[in-house]
Amino acid sequence: MTQAPLFHQITDFANRANPYPLYEELRKNPVLHEEEGGPYVFSSYWDIEALLHDPRISSDAANLAAGDDELSGPEATGLPPSFIRLDPPEHDRLRRIANSSFGPPHRPRRIDNMRGELGEIVTGLIDGFGDARQIDLVDQFAYPFPVTVICRLLGVPREDEPRFRAWVDPIVAGLDPDSRTSAESQRTAQEARLQLGMYLNGLVEQRAKEPRDDMLSDLVNSHGPDGAMTTMEVLSTAVLLLIAGHETTVNLITNGMLTLLRHPDILQRLSQDPGLSVKIVEELLRYEPPVQIVPQRTNITDIEVRGVTIPKGSRIWLVLAAGNRDPERFTDPERFDPDRGDIQHLGFGSGIHSCFGAPLARLETQIALSELARRLENPRLVADPPPYRQNAVLRGPRHLEIAFDGLRQAA
Amino acid sequence: MPADHVDWLRREGRIVIVGASLAGLRAAETLRAEGFAGELTLIGDEPYEPYDRPPLSKSVLLGKASPHRTELPHRREIDAKWRLGVAATGLDLSAKRVKLADGDEVEYDRLLIATGVRARPWLKADEARLDGVCLLRTRDDAADLYQRLKAGPRRVFVIGAGFAGSEVASACREMGVPVTVAERAGAPLVGALGGVIGAVAADLQTENGVDLRPHVTVTSLEGDPVGRVRAVHLSDESVVEVDVVVVSLGSVRNTDWLTGSGLGAGPRGIACDAGCRAFDFRGIVTDDVFVAGDVARSPHALFGYQFLSLEHWGNAVAQAETAAHNMICHGADRRPHLWMPAFWSSMFGVNIKSVGVPPMGDQLMITQGSLAERRFVGVYGYQGRVIAAVSFDNTRWLEFYARQIERGAPFPVEFPTMDRRPEGRQPVAADFPDPSLPTHGPTVTLTGYSPADQQLVFHPARH
């Protein structure tokens, strides 16, 4: 009996609810290459960690030997690639400019100062459950929360959100590395990306004239040592931040609540001690990372991993979620244990592309989970496993129905 | 029975740690974490609980952090007797006793020495006593210097352009205080990183308004009639009028108190084996005296078994953990301390980080970025292999180069790397100063002898 190649099973929806047995299979062959022209799949912690820091590994699709990624070129989309798909020095320049309006050293407190605002949004959403005794956590909480936050941070009017949701969904779908649907979904994704860019262009023109205290204004008016971004670069960056701020945190919060409901003792502890959320979120990033795979790397020269030569220009998939449960790295890796002291996970990647929004994602999820734990009386899962989205890269439940007995008062 | 002895030691033995700073604290925590239930005493000459030093030359000087708020966080309860504000003054190896400045004596079953280093003072004592002549090592030093910078001095003079001196100069410029830096060598940081990188550091300083004076030494400090420093005289016969002088001439290892103890301790530190056990002066390993942190010098397999003495934060932590582990376990469970040397600094808005032992390298290649942009990774080579790497604003790549060092990867670096420029295709001389000429002192010191050095003539004793 012939089985489908393992790397096809990664994108197979049948494995979505619990991909971890498959990842365990992958780790048995840590340098997996099953098909001519197919990807080299890496699933061991130490290999992934090394490759994320390897200056011979590129994020620029132009370095792929066999290019079916011509769609990502500027000709096809009208938008240049965002810094996540660029290499140094361009990557560094754009990321630095973006960071100067987001984090230290120029804006060290931008995220922390949002703490109160984040708490208010969360309280509002939970109050909004009203008298219901069952909710869909995704639609009623985990999605609207980070979307509201990223819109405020960037300066996108919240009322426009339904318009760009229609663009975001195909863009996110285009990130799924399923080769069978790749060409078509990527074309749709690029089209949506262009539409979103055009929408943002209107806001950018406005902010150039009347700057406000938001990231779009900062991006448009950046005049640091790295100079300014071009308008096109601002648009690419804004699209990136909007997408990254959309989907990943939704999944982190949803996976988080799902995991806690499967571990009622820890949920109980969290409801008593919101401070535990810091450890819980770190362990979640290891145990159920929202970005499961980095499928967009290639090597600019032949490299050797565990004695195998990876020819220049190969597709490289880094299965972060498999590395996060590598028994060579973590003790008892299949156990969800917020008390483990040693937790250098790959949940945010590592190296120059390590997650730009990590401080925000952490804070959002800490606040979200601790408030849900504190306010929901006797919460329980309605269906386990819940229905999942198609995407293997940005993996998470499409819906998460939770029943509960009532709401405790807001603090 | 040795096995029983270890069990007894873990249960009710007495462990004394001399040195209540980073290494001392981390060792104490590790001892408790690994189940040491006996009596633990920490002795420190400063009156403070262990505090963190890196902020002292950076955020503290800028007023962004209080010098009194840099306590090291405790990872766990250590249930120790603290003897703070009292220095150890002597060691009786055979009686297993530490003598203290207040006349007291503390007995131990096992001893950990983590006394670190202190700032090397200005060589002329009367000039060093002038008001306004400062050192920067302790929390009190930092509090004092911060007050002086805040008062808006006419000019600050920094003697020595190593990392600490350069960080002080950076803080001065950020606060708008005029600053002159004198360095005996040709550029800042040359002792640690060599002349090629030193030239980049020199540009960085002068572009940020530092009055940099390379190739000079300070001949004297001049005071006014009431004993305040007012001018600095230099070997090129120039005179600079100043209100504050920061002496930044590297460090002195705190081993004076061990003189006559019989331990292998001297100006270059306390020699120990890879398991952190101290050697006595005959080169025989002791079994109950351990060493960790800046004061230790231990052999490292990756660097030709040279004895390395590392003034690095991470080394203090790692060595303390290894020493503590080895102190309370059976011989076969002991671990070697083989930490990859690494340190970081930040100055003039640039993050500098290095891995490996740059001063051991004789050649350098810029494998990523460019010197002119001051954003790069430089790789040091020694006898055909990669021995160290340094980054300016490119920290996230260093892990890769650390792995190259561990693998003994070949040098020159032939393979293409991201952002490799034409300037990085050929190695150049790293341009370290002749080690026999003193500079401010690097933070890594190679203190061993290579078997290839045929400088010694050995005369065996005749019977």
Side-chain angles (χ1 to χ4, degrees), chain A residues 49-50 53-58 87-89 92 95-96 226 300-301 351-352 354, chain B residues 368 373 375 393-394 396-401 403-404 407 415-419 421:
Chain A
E49 219 254 351
H53 289 93
D54 195 321
R56 299 166 298 181
I57 305 297
S58 165
D87 294 332
D92 294 4
R95 181 167 160 135
R96 270 196 308 269
D226 289 299
I300 61 172
T301 181
I352 64 164
S354 72
Chain B
Q368 295 183 256
E373 291 167 24
R375 261 190 266 280
D393 277 347
N394 251 299
R396 289 172 196 266
W397 295 116
L398 277 198
E399 208 174 295
F400 169 79
Y401 294 99
R403 208 155 279 137
Q404 298 283 304
R407 292 178 44 222
F415 52 76
T417 44
M418 214 103 69
D419 200 15
R421 314 287 175 85

